[in-house]
């Protein structure tokens, strides 16, 4: 296991200590718990937005806590859900009297704990509503969207909802916008190699030296096709066909694109993929408003990538364009 | 060779086509040459800043072309220098009448070609001056700083000089600032695994499953110690000892820190390293103004990291704090 770590059991806490040391102006912890992170700044009367999930996915989840995105986040061990109590502590800390929106991925443990935290908040008269993101088209067929895993596309939900909350929209409005973003995003991933969870010490799955797995999840959940390595263009074509037909995205649509590296995949390769994505979208007269490329939701040192598309309307576009300033994502106001 | 590529020979050009497709508002090419990239915006009377070098290091080199950083860049094949003619084309395109500053790393091929390009520019009455960055303390001992390789620390030179040029300082001033930044930065790297140059098709070097190499360069140049994998804290301690004593950085200094992933190293591990870096600096009463963590100068899918320190004075600090907006690096104005 080749990693820059000390003791495996200390990996997550030491990582968070590093984040706190590097970004003291942006984030802090609450309840003296390293796993409960909130924005260092607060805005009176603003709807609070919280997320949470397992560690090992940086920038997900806690990396998006900051201005114009999220107010708080609780994280668990690597690939493990945080507890309901931790989510509740974050909820209390970010409540500014306007209620709290939970945005999190569609995983059983997270749902159970977030629901419990919402009940605990309700008992203290903090209004909480939830948006569960699940947009991985490879994880469940069309018609069963409710069973889909949440992956990198949740970035778009955070971004649009976060901008709306900073405009001081009320809880119903921020939830409506988060729901709309979540409904208009689709993702598909591909994996080339596994990662190693430090406390496990061995690869999360095995895959042949000449193989790739299309549709694999960010915890190594099975995909839809294991086969010989394809060219970048062939791989992108399969992924885009599946994504485009699903919503569907059609001629005349305007989209934002996210090409996400899973951890070990160089930026060069993401751009080789994007070349083909742009060609496909151009061929279908789907206009790209903004392309994001880099690491947005990873699986530590897994090699692979995912493609996400967000269909924009005027409202989502204007919210996506707003500035953001978090430890892992900075954006100046976009033009157009 | 597990990569998202098509033909190995097309890798660099297709990557650049992807960059142009993703960031048409930020960068464009000149002379109809994909290897000659300039800022899509230009500023009359501004000193132009150009860099160049091999591909395979994204965001280096071309990723920093944009507002507040660089005006132009020429790149070669993977780990290969661009030609003097390409550098000259970029030079002509970014000349706004105030002269052009070359900032590039200390590698033989680049020096030869940039010198030739400067002569070609001189023949057309474009004033060119150069700053050669070389800050890798492991590549040559103290006293022989002129032999040191340029690595991730060049980011700080780009950032400070780029901000100065955008303030419409003249060529002498911008060069003075670039020289000062270059003189105050030190870097050391560590590698865990090699990368594969697509047209070569096999790993750039071999290293045991339980080994690391301290001081290795970003093209796999030999380091100063090959040995058993150490803990993150031990590794950081060795690197920081070497960096701190070199300038030296002393009690009361204020610094910016860059913890750079070489390609396949997860952000989690960079933050585990930063935890120890912050502890060491704190123990020496060296104040951190700003920490940058992520991929700034890579070697494709090489696993490893480098640490760079920039000693700040009031001038460098205020320039570092300025906003920047390039395809691979965005920063809002820093506080303090």
């Amino acid at each position: 296991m080749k990693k820059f770590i000390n003791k495996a059991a200390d990996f997550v806490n030491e990582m968070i200590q590093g984040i706190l040391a590097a970004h003291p102006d942006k984030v802090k912890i609450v309840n003296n718990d390293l796993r409960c992170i909130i924005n260092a700044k607060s805005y009176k009367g603003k709807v609070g937005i919280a997320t949470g999930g397992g560690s090992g996915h940086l920038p997900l989840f806690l990396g998006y806590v900051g201005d114009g995105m999220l107010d708080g986040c609780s994280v668990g061990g690597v690939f493990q859900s945080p507890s309901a109590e931790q989510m509740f502590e974050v909820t209390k800390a970010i409540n500014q009297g306007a209620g709290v929106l939970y945005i999190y991925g569609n995983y059983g443990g997270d749902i159970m704990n977030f629901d419990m935290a919402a009940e605990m908040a309700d008992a203290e008269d903090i209004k909480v509503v939830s948006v569960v993101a699940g947009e991985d088209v490879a994880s469940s067929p069309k018609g069963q969207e409710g069973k889909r895993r949440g992956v990198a596309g949740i970035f778009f939900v955070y971004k649009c909802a976060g901008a709306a909350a900073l405009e001081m929209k009320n809880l119903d409005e921020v939830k409506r916008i988060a729901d709309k973003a979540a409904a208009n995003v689709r993702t598909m991933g591909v994996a080339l190699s596994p990662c190693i969870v430090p406390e496990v010490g061995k690869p999360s799955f095995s895959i042949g030296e000449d193989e790739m797995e299309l549709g694999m999840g960010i915890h190594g959940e099975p995909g839809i096709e294991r086969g010989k390595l394809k060219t970048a263009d062939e791989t992108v074509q399969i992924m885009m066909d599946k994504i485009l037909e699903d919503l569907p995205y059609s001629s005349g649509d305007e989209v934002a694109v996210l090409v996400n590296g899973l951890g070990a995949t160089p930026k060069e390769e993401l751009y080789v993929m994007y070349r083909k994505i742009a060609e496909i979208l151009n061929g279908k007269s789907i206009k790209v408003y903004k392309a994001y490329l880099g690491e947005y939701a990873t699986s530590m040192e897994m090699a692979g990538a995912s493609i996400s598309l967000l269909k924009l309307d005027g409202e989502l576009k204007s919210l996506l364009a707003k500035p953001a300033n978090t430890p892992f994502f900075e954006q100046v106001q976009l033009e157009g």
Side-chain angles (χ1 to χ4, degrees), chain A residues 60-61 103-107 131-140 144-157 178 181-189 218 239 242-243 246-247 249 258 260 297 306-310:
Chain A
L60 275 189
F61 292 89
I103 304 173
Y104 58 96
N106 190 17
Y107 297 94
V131 172
V132 182
E135 19 71 72
D136 183 339
V137 297
S139 58
S140 186
Q144 298 183 38
E145 285 85 354
K147 292 185 185 168
R148 287 178 172 173
R149 296 186 294 261
V151 283
I154 200 170
F155 161 77
F156 286 131
V157 186
N184 282 285
V185 65
R186 295 291 184 277
T187 298
M188 185 164 159
I218 57 173
M239 295 166 80
K242 198 118 177 74
I243 290 169
D246 195 90
L247 189 65
Y249 300 86
L258 171 59
N260 171 56
S306 66
I307 303 171
S308 302
L309 254 57
L310 171 68

Side-chain angles (χ1 to χ4, degrees), chain A residues 121-173:
Chain A
D122 184 60
E124 295 207 10
D125 287 327
I126 302 171
K127 184 160 188 204
V128 171
V129 293
S130 293
V131 172
V132 182
E135 19 71 72
D136 183 339
V137 297
S139 58
S140 186
K142 201 166 157 66
Q144 298 183 38
E145 285 85 354
K147 292 185 185 168
R148 287 178 172 173
R149 296 186 294 261
V151 283
I154 200 170
F155 161 77
F156 286 131
V157 186
Y158 294 158
K159 178 70 192 70
C160 294
L166 202 56
E167 288 180 347
M168 304 305 276
K169 292 192 194 300
N170 68 30
L171 185 59
D172 288 347
E173 274 291 281

